[in-house]
Amino acid sequence: MTGKLDPKVVYFGDSMHSDIFPARHYSNWETVFILEELLGDKVMVPAETESEPLEKKGKYEGHPPKVPCPVSEQWGSFFVDSLPGLGNAEETVVSTWSCKCISTYSTIAIPSLEAIADLPLDYRFTRFSSNNSATAGYYPSPPKALLSHEESVPMK
């Protein structure tokens, strides 16, 4: 469509299965994974209360957003898992399958479009790559679960 032999494409998506993996694997596009679980480390402060009643507000205006928690009581952390040690060995912390997919198929991961909306157009993001640390491609900051285990979490 552009007439260029090798156009540069950045694809934004919030689904590893239907957005990020196919765009990277089949088209080799740069991908930005919108990962709501990155919001779980932030403390949400409700906006100032307005005088308008809830009935007059839009569907999403009156209700504070539910922040996804990166550590589920049922499933554990979205980013890391602990494997019990054998005998007297200590438990081992490893990356989850989801975390490995993020760093393999995403160029960067962000919590929302708002996180990058005010950045200059020539801003240079640190990308996921085998040469960088396991936390390099998360913007604006990596999940706390990865930071606390960065040296001990194998990514491969």
Side-chain angles (χ1 to χ4, degrees):
M1 289 173 55
T2 63
K4 294 187 177 191
L5 294 176
D6 190 23
K8 302 292 181 199
V9 176
V10 178
Y11 188 92
F12 288 74
D14 63 356
S15 169
M16 179 59 69
H17 178 74
S18 62
D19 292 327
I20 302 304
F21 172 77
R24 174 58 65 91
H25 184 75
Y26 296 112
S27 301
N28 202 29
W29 291 346
E30 302 291 337
T31 55
V32 177
F33 190 25
I34 301 170
L35 183 63
E36 290 180 343
E37 284 76 7
L38 292 174
L39 291 171
D41 288 345
K42 307 254 184 290
V43 176
M44 299 270 312
V45 179
E48 294 180 23
T49 54
E50 299 173 14
S51 59
E52 191 173 348
L54 280 177
E55 300 84 40
K56 290 188 174 184
K57 292 187 176 191
K59 182 176 179 182
Y60 299 106
E61 289 180 280
H63 307 284
K66 182 179 177 187
V67 177
C69 181
V71 180
S72 161
E73 289 183 20
Q74 182 175 2
W75 302 108
S77 171
F78 185 79
F79 301 102
V80 295
D81 197 8
S82 299
L83 301 176
L86 297 175
N88 292 335
E90 291 184 25
E91 66 180 22
T92 304
V93 178
V94 295
S95 295
T96 61
W97 177 82
S98 297
C99 190
K100 290 175 187 175
C101 286
I102 293 165
S103 62
T104 301
Y105 298 109
S106 304
T107 304
I108 64 169
I110 60 175
S112 66
L113 289 175
E114 289 80 12
I116 63 170
D118 292 331
L119 294 174
L121 292 176
D122 60 351
Y123 184 86
R124 298 200 84 30
F125 292 93
T126 304
R127 306 158 57 101
F128 288 114
S129 103
S130 57
N131 301 333
N132 291 331
S133 76
T135 60
Y138 293 98
Y139 181 87
S141 61
K144 288 180 184 175
L146 283 179
L147 284 177
S148 58
H149 302 289
E150 186 172 9
E151 287 81 35
S152 61
V153 179
M155 288 301 287
K156 298 196 177 201

